[in-house]
Amino acid sequence: MHNKSIAELRRGLHSGEYSSQELTRVFLDRMQRHQALNCYITVTEEQALEAAARADAQLAGGKAGALTGIPIAQKDIFCSKGVKTSCGSKMLDNFISPYDATVVEKFHDAGAVLLGKLNMDEFAMGSSNETSHYGPVRNPWDADAVPGGSSGGSAAAVAARLAPGATGTDTGGSIRQPAAFCGITGMKPTYGRVSRYGMIAFASSLDQGGPMARSAEDAALLLQVMAGFDAKDSTSVDRPLPDYTAGLNEDLRGLKIGLPREFFGAGLNSEVAARIEAAVDEYRKLGAEVRELSMPSLQLSVPVYYVIAPAECSANLSRYDGVRYGYRCAEPADLTDLYTRSRGEAFGSEVKRRILIGTYALSAGYYDAYYLKAQKVRRLISEEFQRAFAEVDVLMGPVTPTTAFGIGEKTADPIEMYLSDIYTIAVNLAGLPAMSIPAGFVGDKPVGLQIIGDYFTEAKLLNIAHRYQQVTDWHGRIPQGFE
Amino acid sequence: MQWETVIGLEIHAQLATRSKIFSGASTAYGAAPNTQACAIDLGMPGVLPVLNEQAVRMAVKFGMAIEAEIAPYSVFARKNYFYPDLPKGYQISQFELPIVGNGHLEILLDGEIMRIGVTRAHLEEDAGKSLHEDFHGLTGVDLNRAGTPLLEIVSEPDMRSAKQAVAYMKKLHALVRYLEICDGNMQEGSFRCDANVSVRPVGQQEFGTRTEIKNLNSFRFVEKAINYEVERQIDVLESGGVVVQETRLYDSARDETRSMRSKEESNDYRYFPDPDLLPVVIEDALKEEVKAELPELPDAKRERFKSQYGHDQETASVLTATREMADYFEVLVQKSGCDARLCSNWVMGELAGALNKNSLEISASPIDCERLAGLLQRIADNTISGKIAKQVFEEMWQGSATADAIIEAKGLRQITDSGAIEKIIDQVIADNPGQVEQYLGGKDKLFGFFVGQVMKATQGKANPAEVNKMLKEKLR
């Protein structure tokens, strides 16, 4: 049952082949058995079984919604009412959210069963899931490797069949990079497509929630539920929601694919490059035209990102002050002591580093040189993407320069860690949709192909990913020990 | 040395929206602590602000009333600082691109009209309140006020005295109430002021170093605080010192200002555009809509009163100082059908005096237009004299009876029957032969004595004109 796709599970539930309670129990058992992966911060067993019972009643009564009875898991960045929502931080270890994020509400309304809350880098700041207060997540393909981050728990859980699908968030690659490292399918939608209300903010102008699943088809089913205008999020975009599964099988003949030269430079591992080239060849066979193009400003995306994201996070994380909720230090002597010790004791070093960088970049006398300059370059990057999309339909390249690296390998050198997101960051700066899909292996470890589209072309990206998954089986591989 | 004072004011007007500027929670004053603060006001993880359109409309309305530029594109920014009553650790405000640009107001002082520039007005959210009493050494935080919409109105440093500053503040106070964008309640903090004050030798071009006096919540405090601060700065300079740029607090109990923090200790607010909110775009259509909704403004009303009612500048200004007073007056004229001068005398005299004595706004007057009109009609038709009318007014103030009812019940109707008056006059003359002799001997001043005696005998009810006329005849 755990190896079935969401589409298959829907059919099984509707035909009465198995109940949601049975299905939910299967996943809860697997979660229990594979605790060593450390995917889940919170398991909501009781609520899950209750929800499954309700779903079974609805299925029996013929009143099922889009995902009625389907178990899913939420990244622990989405606030869920009455459930601990930690954001991977000691700061929120005691935080029980009084409200549901819009995304959580939508899954609830669609009838999905919440299995639990998934591990992640602290406040989504990290590329390896090693900054989590709850310890690193292990990669199902290699227990000594990282699953990627920040949505590391989500990617590992889906790859290990500890959830049929999950949510993630992507600020600089946090859905795509772990999807690539764990061999699953992940999508970062267009900025504004999925509501950010109740999704704990890291960098507000970059954050975007999206689906993580085993196939493009499953990702489409999840996105259908997650996406849509939300009046509670001013940056959410009010435009009609397409049917994401309707066009999955559309023909790809004549599709124009662009390969930015900058994605295939010196930093790219040659074996990863070979897998990407092979995947592009597969698209040629499907009738696509492929051409190279140059996007020189992409190389500025890492420095631009590491000004803008920390600047926004430095303000976004100011609310964690020990006054109203969250961690408070013991016996503060005065107000300053309350602030400094609460924040000093509860934030991890990566979070502190980014708050410091951001505070510095926004300070009087530095603002123009850093923040304002970064915003200008950000616009240049967006414009460069627009010029590219005047020529081609989508861009393709690697998601990451290498396959999953070892736990502890890059923790000592933050710059090297930051460079692991070099191919994903520009997409967030421009607000574009992009996917990561499995495109083969280097040794035992998966490689991800990145597909980047123009604004609001999620349906097209899913179609492109789905067609590839019809002619390849990389996405169907199961890591050893999780069959 | 002769010193010149330079003053600029920053006024925070709380906008009279029903809900907060970025959330749906109520803005009503006086609820139990933290009962009007939703997840957004509390700065919960993951929450997002959504701009209240009503607040934007009110800001535009204000901008149009002071003939200011309305920014077609304005931006909300985060002002970062830590304080327990600031839930997010930043205040959402406007910094580089405010919604209202350059405008102006005219004030009238000692018969002269003066134009005061308004540099800008911007929208922002209020913080909560820290409560230092009743918590046994701890501090309580009430976030009911957090997220209440404010319009911060910044003037040019155009004022040269505390009196001018107060006149400007009063004018602004009247304006926001005319526009119905702020209730103007200063006790509740709906309208408060920070004053920037400096002095310079007369004739000097550059400004002196300024200090900022925070949170002045009455006209009287503004005047006293500025006067104290001006004296203090002059003393410092004349004794060879320098004025330090700093924030000061006015202590009304001691009538002095005290240093709060100096510029060196001040925060670097690290303003940057709030990525959670889109820029505010004001279309011409909205401006047209708001323009059509604008009421008659104080200056226009004052000019109309001058031409329509023949008021002088002073009377017209006083009557139009608040919309409620002007409305009261106009309804009174209409209902009573009396001379405008009689109406304005009573509104500005007896009524204003009684309201003042009881610290009441005209909207809370125990005597409404209708009842006052009834009284003025009895003066106009000579049923009672002006003097008796004041007595009737006092009775009316205490209860709900009409003027007519009081006049009847107390028998205050004026005696106009000349036979009756003649009898009393004869009696007075008969009772005071000595005074009659002196008067006829040339002591004209005694005429008043006879009038007084007659009025006393009639308990003030005799028609004074009639008494005068008959007395003159009898004492010839």
Side-chain angles (χ1 to χ4, degrees), chain B residues 27-97:
Chain B
T27 53
Y29 181 83
N34 298 312
T35 56
Q36 284 181 180
C38 68
I40 294 168
D41 306 320
L42 293 171
M44 283 286 165
V47 297
L48 295 171
V50 175
L51 180 59
N52 182 335
E53 276 178 42
Q54 214 48 40
V56 173
R57 222 183 162 85
M58 287 180 178
V60 171
K61 204 169 179 184
F62 173 78
M64 307 215 69
I66 60 162
E67 292 169 1
E69 303 151 17
I70 308 296
Y73 178 96
S74 66
V75 169
F76 282 101
R78 293 182 181 179
K79 178 181 181 178
N80 295 285
Y81 66 96
F82 284 99
Y83 206 69
D85 60 23
L86 186 72
K88 297 186 294 297
Y90 58 84
Q91 178 194 27
I92 305 178
S93 181
Q94 295 190 306
F95 184 54
E96 279 181 332
L97 297 168

Side-chain angles (χ1 to χ4, degrees), chain A residues 358-378:
Chain A
T359 303
Y360 181 82
L362 290 174
S363 296
Y366 298 98
Y367 179 83
D368 290 3
Y370 293 108
Y371 187 79
L372 217 56
K373 178 66 75 60
Q375 289 291 14
K376 284 178 188 161
V377 179
R378 181 178 186 176

Side-chain angles (χ1 to χ4, degrees), chain A residues 16-317:
Chain A
E17 199 181 316
Y18 37 79
S19 70
S20 175
Q21 290 172 85
E22 287 171 280
L23 183 60
T24 300
R25 181 45 72 198
V26 165
F27 281 100
L28 288 169
D29 288 347
R30 286 184 66 81
M31 285 153 64
Q32 172 82 28
R33 199 164 348 124
H34 296 292
Q35 275 184 45
L37 284 179
N38 200 23
C39 289
Y40 283 84
I41 292 173
T42 303
V43 175
T44 51
E45 178 163 353
E46 213 173 297
Q47 289 106 309
L49 291 171
E50 280 169 23
R54 271 199 308 278
D56 285 333
Q58 283 171 349
L59 285 161
K63 280 185 284 181
L67 294 178
T68 297
I70 305 284
I72 58 108
Q74 294 280 1
K75 183 175 180 179
D76 206 19
I77 199 168
F78 289 99
C79 286
S80 38
K81 192 173 176 176
V83 175
K84 178 167 104 173
T85 301
S86 74
C87 219
S89 181
K90 181 177 176 183
M91 182 59 89
L92 293 178
D93 182 53
N94 65 2
F95 178 67
I96 308 293
S97 176
Y99 77 104
D100 272 336
T102 297
V103 162
V104 171
E105 201 174 82
K106 278 171 173 280
F107 274 110
H108 182 81
D109 292 348
V113 172
L114 177 66
L115 294 170
K117 308 293 293 287
L118 295 162
N119 205 343
M120 57 181 283
D121 279 301
E122 184 179 10
F123 284 103
M125 298 177 198
S127 307
S128 65
N129 215 112
E130 290 166 294
T131 70
S132 169
H133 171 61
Y134 302 92
V137 171
R138 297 188 175 274
N139 191 319
W141 296 95
D142 175 354
D144 293 326
V146 302
S150 64
S151 312
S154 307
V158 171
R161 276 70 177 158
L162 306 188
T167 57
T169 62
D170 191 317
T171 304
S174 282
I175 287 175
R176 290 160 289 157
Q177 186 253 25
F181 279 6
C182 293
I184 67 158
T185 301
M187 170 180 271
K188 176 208 120 48
T190 307
Y191 183 78
R193 183 77 280 188
V194 171
S195 170
R196 292 189 297 115
Y197 188 77
M199 192 179 104
I200 298 177
F202 158 19
S204 314
S205 75
L206 302 161
D207 296 342
Q208 183 63 200
M212 300 180 78
R214 293 206 305 269
S215 67
E217 186 184 19
D218 283 0
L221 290 169
L222 296 179
L223 182 63
Q224 198 72 51
V225 169
M226 293 177 81
F229 173 67
D230 181 10
K232 288 189 244 173
D233 173 2
S234 309
T235 62
S236 135
V237 179
D238 192 1
R239 61 183 280 154
L241 200 61
D243 181 340
Y244 289 119
T245 50
L248 284 176
N249 288 306
E250 269 175 34
D251 200 281
L252 296 186
R253 268 174 296 184
L255 179 77
K256 294 194 203 104
I257 297 172
L259 305 178
R261 247 172 243 126
E262 290 72 14
F263 278 0
F264 296 87
L268 180 63
N269 172 288
S270 61
E271 288 176 286
V272 172
R275 299 280 81 74
I276 300 303
E277 278 151 25
V280 171
D281 275 341
E282 219 41 76
Y283 278 105
R284 283 198 181 90
K285 286 185 217 159
L286 288 166
E289 300 163 17
V290 179
R291 70 179 74 162
E292 274 191 28
L293 41 80
S294 179
M295 299 179 68
S297 69
L298 289 184
Q299 292 173 349
L300 296 168
S301 51
V302 172
V304 167
Y305 177 87
Y306 278 99
V307 171
I308 292 172
E312 292 182 5
C313 101
S314 73
N316 282 334
L317 271 61

